Coordinates of all heavy atoms in Angstrom, one line a residue:
M27 N 12.0 -130.2 23.5 CA 10.8 -130.5 22.7 C 11.0 -131.3 21.5 O 12.1 -131.2 20.9 CB 10.1 -129.2 22.4 CG 8.7 -129.3 22.3 SD 7.8 -127.8 21.7 CE 7.1 -127.2 23.2
C28 N 10.2 -132.2 21.2 CA 10.3 -133.1 20.1 C 10.0 -132.4 18.7 O 8.9 -131.7 18.6 CB 9.6 -134.3 20.3 SG 9.7 -135.6 18.9
S29 N 10.8 -132.5 17.7 CA 10.5 -131.8 16.4 C 10.2 -132.9 15.3 O 10.0 -132.4 14.2 CB 11.7 -131.0 16.0 OG 12.9 -131.8 15.8
E30 N 10.2 -134.1 15.6 CA 9.9 -135.2 14.7 C 8.4 -135.2 14.3 O 7.6 -135.0 15.2 CB 10.4 -136.5 15.1 CG 11.8 -136.6 15.4 CD 12.2 -138.0 16.0 OE1 11.4 -138.9 15.9 OE2 13.2 -138.1 16.7
P31 N 8.0 -135.4 13.1 CA 6.5 -135.4 12.8 C 5.8 -136.6 13.5 O 4.6 -136.4 13.8 CB 6.5 -135.7 11.3 CG 7.9 -135.6 10.7 CD 8.8 -135.5 11.9
A32 N 6.5 -137.7 13.9 CA 5.7 -138.8 14.5 C 5.9 -138.8 16.1 O 5.5 -139.8 16.7 CB 6.2 -140.1 14.0
C33 N 6.3 -137.6 16.6 CA 6.6 -137.6 18.0 C 5.3 -137.7 18.8 O 4.3 -137.1 18.5 CB 7.2 -136.2 18.3 SG 7.6 -136.0 20.0
T34 N 5.2 -138.6 19.8 CA 4.1 -138.7 20.7 C 4.3 -138.2 22.2 O 3.5 -138.5 23.0 CB 3.6 -140.2 20.7 OG1 4.7 -140.9 21.1 CG2 3.3 -140.6 19.3
S35 N 5.4 -137.5 22.4 CA 5.6 -137.0 23.7 C 6.4 -135.7 23.6 O 6.9 -135.3 22.6 CB 6.4 -138.1 24.6 OG 7.7 -138.2 23.9
L36 N 6.2 -135.0 24.6 CA 7.0 -133.7 24.9 C 7.8 -133.7 26.1 O 7.4 -134.2 27.1 CB 5.9 -132.6 24.9 CG 4.9 -132.3 23.8 CD1 3.9 -131.3 24.1 CD2 5.8 -132.0 22.5
R37 N 9.0 -133.2 26.0 CA 10.0 -133.1 27.2 C 10.6 -131.7 27.1 O 10.7 -131.1 26.0 CB 11.1 -134.2 27.1 CG 10.4 -135.5 27.4 CD 11.5 -136.3 28.1 NE 11.0 -137.6 28.5 CZ 10.5 -137.8 29.7 NH1 10.4 -137.0 30.6 NH2 10.0 -139.0 30.0
S38 N 11.1 -131.3 28.2 CA 11.8 -130.0 28.2 C 13.1 -130.3 27.5 O 13.6 -131.3 27.2 CB 12.1 -129.6 29.6 OG 12.9 -130.5 30.2
A39 N 13.8 -129.2 27.0 CA 15.1 -129.2 26.3 C 16.2 -130.0 27.1 O 17.1 -130.6 26.5 CB 15.5 -127.8 25.9
S40 N 16.1 -129.9 28.4 CA 17.2 -130.5 29.2 C 16.9 -132.0 29.3 O 17.7 -132.8 29.8 CB 17.2 -129.9 30.6 OG 16.1 -130.0 31.3
H41 N 15.7 -132.5 29.1 CA 15.3 -133.9 29.2 C 15.4 -134.4 30.7 O 15.4 -135.6 30.9 CB 16.1 -134.9 28.4 CG 15.9 -134.5 26.8 ND1 14.8 -134.9 26.2 CD2 16.8 -133.9 26.0 CE1 14.9 -134.5 24.9 NE2 16.2 -133.9 24.8
G42 N 15.4 -133.5 31.6 CA 15.6 -133.9 33.1 C 14.3 -134.0 33.9 O 14.4 -134.5 34.9
G43 N 13.2 -133.4 33.4 CA 12.0 -133.3 34.1 C 10.9 -134.2 33.5 O 11.2 -135.0 32.7
P44 N 9.8 -134.1 34.1 CA 8.7 -134.9 33.7 C 8.3 -134.5 32.2 O 8.5 -133.5 31.8 CB 7.6 -134.6 34.6 CG 7.8 -133.3 35.3 CD 9.4 -133.2 35.2
G45 N 7.6 -135.5 31.5 CA 7.3 -135.2 30.1 C 5.7 -135.5 30.0 O 5.1 -135.8 30.9
I46 N 5.3 -135.2 28.8 CA 3.8 -135.4 28.5 C 3.7 -136.2 27.3 O 4.4 -136.0 26.4 CB 3.2 -134.0 28.2 CG1 3.2 -133.0 29.4 CG2 1.7 -134.2 27.8 CD1 2.7 -131.7 29.1
E47 N 3.1 -137.4 27.5 CA 2.8 -138.3 26.4 C 1.5 -138.0 25.7 O 0.5 -137.7 26.4 CB 2.8 -139.7 26.9 CG 2.6 -140.7 25.8 CD 2.7 -142.2 26.3 OE1 3.3 -142.4 27.4 OE2 2.4 -143.0 25.6
L48 N 1.4 -138.0 24.4 CA 0.2 -137.7 23.7 C -0.2 -139.0 22.8 O 0.1 -139.2 21.6 CB 0.6 -136.6 22.7 CG 1.0 -135.3 23.4 CD1 1.5 -134.3 22.3 CD2 -0.1 -134.7 24.2
P49 N -0.9 -139.9 23.5 CA -1.1 -141.2 22.8 C -2.3 -141.0 21.8 O -3.2 -140.1 21.9 CB -1.6 -142.2 23.9 CG -2.0 -141.2 25.0 CD -1.3 -140.0 24.9
E50 N -2.2 -141.6 20.7 CA -3.2 -141.6 19.6 C -3.9 -143.1 19.6 O -3.3 -144.0 19.1 CB -2.6 -141.3 18.2 CG -3.7 -141.2 17.2 CD -3.1 -140.9 15.8 OE1 -1.9 -140.5 15.8 OE2 -3.8 -140.9 15.0
Y51 N -5.1 -143.1 20.1 CA -5.8 -144.5 20.1 C -6.5 -144.6 18.8 O -7.3 -143.7 18.3 CB -6.8 -144.6 21.3 CG -6.1 -144.5 22.6 CD1 -6.0 -143.3 23.3 CD2 -5.4 -145.6 23.1 CE1 -5.3 -143.3 24.6 CE2 -4.7 -145.5 24.3 CZ -4.7 -144.4 25.0 OH -4.0 -144.3 26.3
R52 N -6.4 -145.7 18.2 CA -6.9 -146.0 16.8 C -7.9 -147.2 17.0 O -7.5 -148.1 17.8 CB -5.9 -146.2 15.8 CG -5.1 -145.1 15.6 CD -4.1 -145.3 14.5 NE -3.3 -144.1 14.2 CZ -2.5 -144.1 13.3 NH1 -2.2 -145.1 12.5 NH2 -1.7 -143.0 13.1
T53 N -9.0 -147.1 16.3 CA -9.8 -148.3 16.2 C -9.2 -149.4 15.5 O -8.7 -149.2 14.4 CB -11.2 -147.9 15.5 OG1 -11.8 -146.8 16.2 CG2 -12.2 -149.1 15.6
P54 N -9.3 -150.6 16.0 CA -8.6 -151.8 15.3 C -9.3 -152.0 14.0 O -10.5 -151.9 14.0 CB -8.7 -152.9 16.3 CG -9.2 -152.4 17.6 CD -9.7 -151.0 17.3
N55 N -8.6 -152.3 13.0 CA -9.3 -152.6 11.7 C -9.2 -154.1 11.4 O -9.7 -154.5 10.3 CB -8.7 -151.7 10.5 CG -7.1 -152.1 10.4 OD1 -6.5 -152.9 11.1 ND2 -6.5 -151.4 9.5
S56 N -8.8 -154.9 12.4 CA -8.9 -156.3 12.1 C -10.1 -156.9 12.9 O -10.7 -156.2 13.7 CB -7.6 -156.9 12.6 OG -7.4 -156.8 13.9
G57 N -10.3 -158.1 12.7 CA -11.4 -158.7 13.5 C -12.6 -158.7 12.6 O -12.7 -158.2 11.6
R58 N -13.7 -159.4 13.1 CA -15.0 -159.4 12.3 C -16.1 -159.0 13.1 O -16.1 -159.0 14.3 CB -15.3 -160.9 12.0 CG -14.3 -161.5 11.0 CD -14.5 -162.9 10.7 NE -13.5 -163.7 11.4 CZ -13.5 -164.9 11.8 NH1 -14.6 -165.5 11.6 NH2 -12.6 -165.5 12.4
I59 N -17.1 -158.5 12.5 CA -18.4 -158.0 13.1 C -19.0 -159.3 13.8 O -19.2 -160.3 13.1 CB -19.2 -157.3 12.1 CG1 -18.6 -156.1 11.6 CG2 -20.6 -157.0 12.8 CD1 -19.2 -155.2 10.6
M60 N -19.6 -159.1 15.0 CA -20.3 -160.2 15.6 C -21.6 -160.4 14.8 O -22.3 -159.5 14.4 CB -20.7 -159.8 17.0 CG -21.4 -160.9 17.7 SD -21.5 -160.5 19.5 CE -19.9 -160.5 20.0
P61 N -21.9 -161.6 14.5 CA -23.1 -162.0 13.7 C -24.3 -161.5 14.4 O -24.4 -161.6 15.6 CB -23.0 -163.5 13.6 CG -21.7 -163.9 13.7 CD -21.1 -162.8 14.7
P62 N -25.3 -160.8 13.7 CA -26.5 -160.3 14.4 C -27.3 -161.3 15.1 O -28.0 -161.0 15.9 CB -27.2 -159.7 13.2 CG -26.6 -160.1 12.0 CD -25.2 -160.7 12.3
D63 N -27.2 -162.6 14.6 CA -28.0 -163.6 15.4 C -27.3 -164.4 16.4 O -27.7 -165.4 16.8 CB -28.5 -164.7 14.2 CG -27.4 -165.4 13.5 OD1 -26.2 -164.9 13.6 OD2 -27.6 -166.4 12.9
T64 N -26.2 -163.8 16.9 CA -25.4 -164.4 18.1 C -26.3 -164.6 19.3 O -27.1 -163.7 19.7 CB -24.3 -163.4 18.5 OG1 -23.4 -163.4 17.4 CG2 -23.6 -164.0 19.7
Q65 N -26.2 -165.8 19.9 CA -26.9 -166.2 21.1 C -26.0 -166.3 22.3 O -24.7 -166.5 22.0 CB -27.7 -167.5 20.9 CG -28.7 -167.4 19.8 CD -29.9 -166.5 20.0 OE1 -30.4 -166.6 21.1 NE2 -30.1 -165.7 19.0
A66 N -26.5 -166.3 23.5 CA -25.7 -166.3 24.6 C -25.0 -167.7 24.8 O -24.0 -167.8 25.5 CB -26.5 -166.0 25.9
N67 N -25.5 -168.7 24.2 CA -24.8 -170.0 24.3 C -23.8 -170.3 23.1 O -23.4 -171.4 23.0 CB -25.8 -171.1 24.3 CG -26.8 -171.1 23.1 OD1 -26.8 -170.3 22.3 ND2 -27.6 -172.2 23.1
D68 N -23.5 -169.3 22.2 CA -22.6 -169.5 21.2 C -21.2 -169.4 21.7 O -20.9 -168.6 22.8 CB -22.7 -168.4 20.1 CG -24.0 -168.6 19.3 OD1 -24.4 -169.7 19.1 OD2 -24.5 -167.6 18.8
L69 N -20.3 -170.1 21.2 CA -18.9 -170.1 21.7 C -18.2 -168.8 21.8 O -17.4 -168.6 22.6 CB -18.0 -171.2 20.9 CG -18.4 -172.6 21.0 CD1 -17.6 -173.5 20.1 CD2 -18.2 -173.1 22.5
W70 N -18.6 -167.9 20.8 CA -17.8 -166.6 20.7 C -18.5 -165.6 21.5 O -18.1 -164.4 21.6 CB -17.8 -166.2 19.2 CG -19.1 -166.1 18.6 CD1 -19.9 -165.0 18.6 CD2 -19.7 -167.1 17.8 NE1 -21.1 -165.2 17.9 CE2 -21.0 -166.6 17.4 CE3 -19.4 -168.4 17.4 CZ2 -21.9 -167.2 16.6 CZ3 -20.3 -169.0 16.6 CH2 -21.4 -168.5 16.2
H71 N -19.7 -165.9 22.2 CA -20.4 -164.9 23.0 C -19.6 -164.5 24.2 O -18.9 -165.1 24.8 CB -21.7 -165.5 23.5 CG -22.4 -164.5 24.4 ND1 -23.2 -163.5 23.9 CD2 -22.5 -164.5 25.7 CE1 -23.7 -162.9 24.9 NE2 -23.2 -163.4 26.1
W72 N -19.5 -163.2 24.4 CA -18.8 -162.6 25.5 C -19.8 -161.5 26.1 O -20.3 -160.7 25.3 CB -17.5 -162.0 25.0 CG -16.7 -161.5 26.2 CD1 -16.7 -160.2 26.7 CD2 -15.8 -162.2 27.1 NE1 -15.8 -160.0 27.7 CE2 -15.3 -161.3 28.1 CE3 -15.4 -163.5 27.2 CZ2 -14.5 -161.7 29.0 CZ3 -14.6 -163.9 28.3 CH2 -14.1 -163.0 29.1
Q73 N -19.8 -161.4 27.4 CA -20.6 -160.5 28.0 C -20.0 -159.8 29.3 O -19.2 -160.5 29.9 CB -21.9 -160.9 28.4 CG -21.9 -161.9 29.6 CD -23.2 -162.6 29.8 OE1 -24.0 -162.8 28.9 NE2 -23.5 -163.2 31.0
V74 N -20.3 -158.6 29.5 CA -19.9 -157.9 30.8 C -21.0 -158.0 31.7 O -22.2 -157.5 31.4 CB -19.4 -156.5 30.5 CG1 -19.1 -155.7 31.8 CG2 -18.3 -156.5 29.5
Q75 N -20.9 -158.3 33.0 CA -21.8 -158.3 33.9 C -21.7 -157.1 34.9 O -20.6 -156.9 35.5 CB -21.8 -159.6 34.8 CG -23.0 -159.6 35.9 CD -23.1 -161.0 36.5 OE1 -22.7 -162.0 36.0 NE2 -23.6 -160.9 37.8
V76 N -22.8 -156.4 35.1 CA -22.8 -155.2 35.9 C -23.9 -155.3 36.8 O -25.1 -155.6 36.5 CB -23.0 -153.9 35.1 CG1 -23.0 -152.6 35.9 CG2 -22.0 -153.7 33.9
T77 N -23.6 -155.3 38.1 CA -24.5 -155.4 39.2 C -25.0 -154.0 39.7 O -24.2 -153.1 39.9 CB -23.8 -156.1 40.5 OG1 -23.4 -157.4 40.0 CG2 -24.9 -156.3 41.5
L78 N -26.4 -153.9 39.6 CA -27.0 -152.6 39.9 C -27.9 -152.7 41.1 O -28.4 -153.9 41.4 CB -27.8 -152.2 38.7 CG -27.1 -152.2 37.4 CD1 -28.1 -152.2 36.2 CD2 -26.2 -151.1 37.2
S79 N -28.2 -151.7 41.8 CA -29.1 -151.7 42.9 C -30.5 -151.8 42.4 O -31.4 -152.5 43.2 CB -29.0 -150.5 43.8 OG -29.3 -149.3 43.0
D80 N -30.9 -151.3 41.3 CA -32.4 -151.4 40.8 C -32.4 -151.6 39.4 O -32.2 -150.7 38.6 CB -33.2 -150.2 41.3 CG -34.6 -150.4 41.0 OD1 -35.0 -151.4 40.3 OD2 -35.4 -149.6 41.5
A81 N -32.4 -152.9 38.9 CA -32.3 -153.2 37.5 C -33.5 -152.5 36.6 O -33.2 -152.1 35.5 CB -32.3 -154.7 37.3
A82 N -34.7 -152.4 37.3 CA -35.8 -151.9 36.5 C -35.6 -150.4 36.1 O -35.8 -149.9 35.1 CB -37.1 -152.1 37.3
V83 N -35.1 -149.7 37.2 CA -34.8 -148.3 36.9 C -33.7 -148.0 35.9 O -33.8 -147.2 35.0 CB -34.4 -147.5 38.2 CG1 -34.0 -146.1 38.0 CG2 -35.7 -147.5 39.2
I84 N -32.7 -148.8 36.0 CA -31.5 -148.7 35.1 C -32.0 -149.2 33.7 O -31.7 -148.5 32.7 CB -30.4 -149.6 35.4 CG1 -29.9 -149.1 36.9 CG2 -29.3 -149.6 34.5 CD1 -29.4 -147.8 36.9
K85 N -32.9 -150.1 33.5 CA -33.4 -150.5 32.2 C -34.2 -149.4 31.6 O -34.0 -149.1 30.4 CB -34.3 -151.7 32.3 CG -34.8 -152.3 31.0 CD -35.6 -153.5 31.1 CE -36.0 -154.1 29.8 NZ -37.0 -153.3 29.0
D86 N -35.0 -148.7 32.3 CA -35.7 -147.5 31.8 C -34.8 -146.4 31.3 O -35.0 -145.7 30.5 CB -36.7 -146.9 32.8 CG -37.9 -148.0 33.1 OD1 -38.1 -148.9 32.2 OD2 -38.4 -148.0 34.2
T87 N -33.7 -146.2 32.2 CA -32.7 -145.3 31.8 C -32.0 -145.6 30.5 O -31.8 -144.7 29.6 CB -31.7 -145.0 32.9 OG1 -32.4 -144.7 34.1 CG2 -30.7 -143.9 32.6
I88 N -31.5 -146.8 30.4 CA -30.9 -147.2 29.3 C -31.8 -147.1 28.0 O -31.2 -147.0 26.9 CB -30.4 -148.7 29.4 CG1 -29.2 -148.6 30.4 CG2 -29.9 -149.3 28.1 CD1 -28.6 -149.9 30.8
A89 N -33.1 -147.2 28.1 CA -34.0 -147.2 27.0 C -33.8 -145.8 26.3 O -34.2 -145.6 25.2 CB -35.4 -147.4 27.4
N90 N -33.3 -144.8 27.1 CA -33.2 -143.4 26.5 C -31.9 -143.2 25.8 O -31.7 -142.2 25.3 CB -33.4 -142.4 27.6 CG -34.9 -142.4 28.2 OD1 -35.8 -142.6 27.5 ND2 -34.9 -142.2 29.5
V91 N -31.0 -144.1 25.9 CA -29.7 -144.0 25.2 C -29.6 -145.1 24.0 O -30.5 -146.0 24.1 CB -28.5 -144.2 26.2 CG1 -28.5 -143.1 27.2 CG2 -28.5 -145.5 26.7
K92 N -28.6 -145.0 23.2 CA -28.6 -145.8 22.1 C -28.1 -147.3 22.6 O -26.8 -147.4 22.8 CB -27.7 -145.4 21.0 CG -27.8 -146.1 19.7 CD -27.1 -145.4 18.7 CE -27.3 -146.2 17.3 NZ -26.6 -145.6 16.2
S93 N -28.9 -148.2 22.8 CA -28.6 -149.5 23.1 C -29.7 -150.5 22.5 O -30.8 -150.0 22.1 CB -28.5 -149.7 24.6 OG -29.8 -149.5 25.2
Y94 N -29.4 -151.7 22.5 CA -30.2 -152.7 21.8 C -30.7 -153.8 22.8 O -29.8 -154.6 23.3 CB -29.6 -153.3 20.6 CG -29.2 -152.2 19.7 CD1 -27.8 -151.8 19.6 CD2 -30.1 -151.6 18.9 CE1 -27.4 -150.7 18.9 CE2 -29.5 -150.5 17.9 CZ -28.2 -150.1 18.0 OH -27.8 -149.1 17.2
P95 N -31.9 -153.8 23.2 CA -32.3 -154.9 24.2 C -32.2 -156.3 23.6 O -32.5 -156.6 22.5 CB -33.7 -154.5 24.5 CG -34.2 -153.8 23.3 CD -33.0 -153.0 22.7
V96 N -31.7 -157.1 24.5 CA -31.6 -158.7 24.1 C -32.8 -159.3 24.8 O -33.6 -160.1 24.3 CB -30.2 -159.2 24.5 CG1 -30.3 -160.8 24.3 CG2 -29.2 -158.5 23.7
S97 N -33.0 -158.8 26.1 CA -34.2 -159.3 27.0 C -35.3 -158.5 26.7 O -35.2 -157.2 26.5 CB -33.8 -159.3 28.5 OG -32.6 -160.0 28.7
N98 N -36.5 -159.0 26.7 CA -37.8 -158.2 26.6 C -38.1 -157.5 27.7 O -38.8 -156.5 27.7 CB -38.9 -159.1 26.1 CG -38.6 -159.6 24.6 OD1 -38.0 -159.0 23.8 ND2 -39.1 -160.8 24.4
A99 N -37.7 -158.0 29.0 CA -38.1 -157.5 30.2 C -37.1 -157.9 31.2 O -36.3 -158.8 31.0 CB -39.5 -157.9 30.6
V100 N -37.2 -157.4 32.4 CA -36.3 -157.7 33.5 C -36.8 -159.1 34.0 O -38.0 -159.3 34.1 CB -36.4 -156.8 34.7 CG1 -35.7 -157.3 35.9 CG2 -35.8 -155.4 34.3
I101 N -35.9 -160.1 34.0 CA -36.3 -161.5 34.4 C -35.9 -161.7 35.9 O -34.8 -161.5 36.3 CB -35.4 -162.4 33.4 CG1 -35.8 -162.2 32.0 CG2 -35.8 -163.8 33.8 CD1 -34.8 -162.8 31.1
D102 N -36.9 -162.1 36.6 CA -36.8 -162.4 38.0 C -36.3 -163.9 38.1 O -36.8 -164.8 37.5 CB -38.1 -162.2 38.7 CG -38.5 -160.7 38.8 OD1 -37.6 -159.9 39.0 OD2 -39.6 -160.5 38.7
L103 N -35.4 -164.1 39.0 CA -34.8 -165.5 39.2 C -34.7 -165.9 40.6 O -34.7 -164.8 41.5 CB -33.3 -165.4 38.7 CG -33.1 -165.0 37.2 CD1 -31.7 -164.6 36.9 CD2 -33.5 -166.1 36.3
P104 N -34.9 -167.2 40.9 CA -34.7 -167.6 42.3 C -33.3 -167.2 42.8 O -32.3 -167.5 42.2 CB -34.9 -169.1 42.3 CG -35.4 -169.5 40.8 CD -35.1 -168.2 40.0
K105 N -33.3 -166.6 44.0 CA -32.0 -166.1 44.5 C -31.0 -167.2 44.8 O -29.8 -167.0 44.7 CB -32.3 -165.3 45.8 CG -31.1 -164.7 46.5 CD -30.7 -163.4 46.0 CE -29.6 -162.8 46.8 NZ -29.1 -161.7 46.4
D106 N -31.5 -168.4 45.0 CA -30.7 -169.5 45.4 C -30.0 -170.1 44.2 O -29.1 -170.8 44.3 CB -31.3 -170.6 46.2 CG -32.5 -171.1 45.5 OD1 -33.0 -170.5 44.5 OD2 -33.1 -172.2 46.0
T107 N -30.5 -169.8 43.0 CA -29.8 -170.3 41.7 C -28.6 -169.6 41.3 O -27.6 -170.2 41.0 CB -30.9 -170.1 40.6 OG1 -32.1 -170.7 41.0 CG2 -30.4 -170.8 39.4
L108 N -28.5 -168.3 41.4 CA -27.5 -167.4 41.0 C -27.1 -166.4 42.1 O -27.8 -166.4 43.1 CB -27.6 -166.8 39.7 CG -28.0 -167.6 38.5 CD1 -28.6 -166.9 37.3 CD2 -26.8 -168.4 38.0
D109 N -26.1 -165.5 41.9 CA -25.8 -164.6 42.8 C -26.7 -163.4 42.7 O -26.5 -162.3 43.2 CB -24.4 -164.2 42.6 CG -23.4 -165.2 43.2 OD1 -23.8 -166.1 44.0 OD2 -22.2 -165.2 42.7
Y110 N -27.7 -163.3 41.8 CA -28.5 -162.2 41.6 C -30.0 -162.7 41.6 O -30.3 -163.8 41.2 CB -28.1 -161.3 40.4 CG -27.8 -162.2 39.2 CD1 -28.8 -162.5 38.2 CD2 -26.5 -162.6 38.9 CE1 -28.5 -163.2 37.1 CE2 -26.3 -163.3 37.8 CZ -27.2 -163.6 36.8 OH -27.0 -164.3 35.7
S111 N -30.9 -161.6 41.8 CA -32.2 -162.0 41.8 C -33.0 -161.6 40.5 O -34.1 -162.2 40.2 CB -32.9 -161.3 42.9 OG -32.9 -159.9 42.9
S112 N -32.5 -160.7 39.8 CA -33.1 -160.4 38.5 C -32.1 -159.8 37.5 O -31.0 -159.4 37.9 CB -34.2 -159.3 38.7 OG -33.7 -158.1 39.3
A113 N -32.4 -159.9 36.3 CA -31.4 -159.5 35.3 C -32.0 -159.2 34.0 O -33.2 -159.6 33.6 CB -30.4 -160.6 35.2
F114 N -31.3 -158.5 33.1 CA -31.6 -158.3 31.7 C -30.5 -158.0 30.8 O -29.4 -157.6 31.4 CB -32.8 -157.3 31.5 CG -32.3 -155.9 31.8 CD1 -31.9 -154.9 30.8 CD2 -32.4 -155.4 33.1 CE1 -31.4 -153.7 31.2 CE2 -32.0 -154.1 33.5 CZ -31.6 -153.2 32.5
M115 N -30.4 -158.2 29.7 CA -29.3 -158.1 28.7 C -29.5 -157.1 27.6 O -30.7 -157.1 27.0 CB -28.9 -159.4 28.2 CG -27.6 -159.3 27.4 SD -27.1 -161.0 26.7 CE -26.5 -161.7 28.3
I116 N -28.6 -156.3 27.4 CA -28.6 -155.4 26.2 C -27.3 -155.5 25.4 O -26.3 -156.0 25.9 CB -28.7 -153.8 26.8 CG1 -27.5 -153.5 27.6 CG2 -30.0 -153.7 27.5 CD1 -27.4 -151.9 27.8
R117 N -27.3 -154.9 24.3 CA -26.1 -154.7 23.5 C -25.8 -153.2 23.3 O -26.9 -152.4 23.0 CB -26.2 -155.3 22.1 CG -26.2 -156.9 22.2 CD -25.9 -157.5 20.9 NE -25.9 -158.9 21.0 CZ -25.0 -159.7 21.5 NH1 -23.9 -159.1 21.9 NH2 -25.2 -161.0 21.7
D118 N -24.6 -152.8 23.4 CA -24.3 -151.3 23.2 C -24.2 -151.1 21.7 O -24.4 -152.0 20.9 CB -23.0 -150.9 23.9 CG -21.7 -151.5 23.4 OD1 -21.8 -152.2 22.2 OD2 -20.6 -151.4 24.0
P119 N -24.0 -149.8 21.2 CA -24.0 -149.6 19.7 C -23.0 -150.4 19.0 O -23.1 -150.6 17.8 CB -23.7 -148.1 19.7 CG -24.2 -147.6 21.0 CD -23.9 -148.6 22.0
D120 N -21.8 -150.8 19.7 CA -20.9 -151.7 19.1 C -21.1 -153.1 19.1 O -20.3 -153.9 18.6 CB -19.5 -151.4 19.6 CG -19.0 -150.0 19.5 OD1 -19.3 -149.5 18.3 OD2 -18.4 -149.5 20.4
G121 N -22.2 -153.5 19.7 CA -22.6 -155.0 19.8 C -22.1 -155.7 20.9 O -22.3 -156.8 21.1
H122 N -21.5 -155.0 21.9 CA -21.1 -155.7 23.1 C -22.2 -156.1 24.0 O -23.1 -155.1 24.3 CB -20.1 -154.9 23.9 CG -18.9 -154.5 23.1 ND1 -18.8 -153.1 22.6 CD2 -17.8 -155.1 22.6 CE1 -17.6 -153.0 22.0 NE2 -17.0 -154.3 21.8
A123 N -22.3 -157.3 24.5 CA -23.4 -157.7 25.4 C -23.1 -157.2 26.8 O -22.0 -157.4 27.3 CB -23.5 -159.1 25.3
M124 N -24.1 -156.7 27.5 CA -24.0 -156.3 28.9 C -25.1 -157.0 29.7 O -26.3 -156.8 29.4 CB -24.0 -154.8 29.1 CG -22.9 -154.2 28.5 SD -23.0 -152.3 28.8 CE -22.9 -152.3 30.6
L125 N -24.8 -157.8 30.7 CA -25.8 -158.5 31.6 C -25.9 -157.5 32.8 O -25.0 -157.5 33.6 CB -25.4 -159.8 31.9 CG -26.4 -160.6 32.9 CD1 -27.7 -160.7 32.2 CD2 -25.7 -161.9 33.2
L126 N -27.1 -156.9 32.9 CA -27.3 -156.0 34.1 C -28.1 -156.8 35.1 O -29.1 -157.3 34.8 CB -28.0 -154.8 33.7 CG -27.3 -154.0 32.4 CD1 -28.2 -153.0 32.0 CD2 -26.0 -153.6 32.9
T127 N -27.6 -156.8 36.3 CA -28.2 -157.7 37.3 C -28.5 -156.9 38.6 O -27.9 -156.0 38.9 CB -27.2 -158.9 37.7 OG1 -26.0 -158.4 38.3 CG2 -27.0 -159.8 36.5
K128 N -29.4 -157.5 39.5 CA -29.7 -156.8 40.7 C -29.4 -157.9 41.8 O -29.9 -159.1 41.6 CB -31.1 -156.4 40.7 CG -31.6 -155.9 42.0 CD -33.2 -155.7 42.0 CE -33.6 -155.3 43.4 NZ -35.0 -155.4 43.6
P129 N -28.7 -157.6 42.8 CA -28.5 -158.6 43.8 C -29.7 -159.2 44.5 O -30.8 -158.6 44.5 CB -27.6 -157.9 44.9 CG -27.4 -156.5 44.4 CD -28.2 -156.3 43.2

């Protein structure tokens, strides 16, 4: 067993068997907050695309959790234009953009 104050793992006294690691994840303190007026065509914009079976139902569900809509409504698109037929975008509480799409 580790007796050091900064120890992040535990092992048996013989050090011959499996051990347990105790990682401590910390929030990075570097970087900048995304400007609130960020648009999808800004160079620093980044989004995660999630494909859902029914975008309208998911949008209603997300309305009940802490998220910030970017789109006012589910947008229907011509299927031959993109790989999805409808989409909408939200931001999570940390400001990350998520594009939710329906095939």
Side-chain angles (χ1 to χ4, degrees):
M27 211 184 256
C28 184
S29 61
E30 299 174 23
C33 182
T34 60
S35 63
L36 300 172
R37 288 213 176 267
S38 65
S40 66
H41 299 286
I46 299 173
E47 184 176 343
L48 305 168
E50 180 180 353
Y51 297 103
R52 297 183 180 184
T53 303
N55 59 3
S56 60
R58 290 178 256 160
I59 296 173
M60 186 174 293
D63 60 345
T64 294
Q65 300 294 315
N67 60 348
D68 289 330
L69 292 176
W70 58 85
H71 175 80
W72 184 265
Q73 68 191 26
V74 174
Q75 181 175 335
V76 179
T77 302
L78 311 163
S79 59
D80 189 348
V83 170
I84 299 299
K85 183 177 185 290
D86 292 338
T87 303
I88 288 176
N90 295 324
V91 297
K92 192 171 184 180
S93 64
Y94 307 97
V96 175
S97 305
N98 291 331
V100 175
I101 300 167
D102 293 319
L103 303 162
K105 180 91 174 174
D106 58 346
T107 307
L108 300 166
D109 291 336
Y110 46 90
S111 61
S112 61
F114 65 96
M115 185 178 287
I116 64 166
R117 290 199 183 276
D118 70 8
D120 294 324
H122 303 110
M124 293 182 64
L125 179 64
L126 305 173
T127 63
K128 177 186 170 197

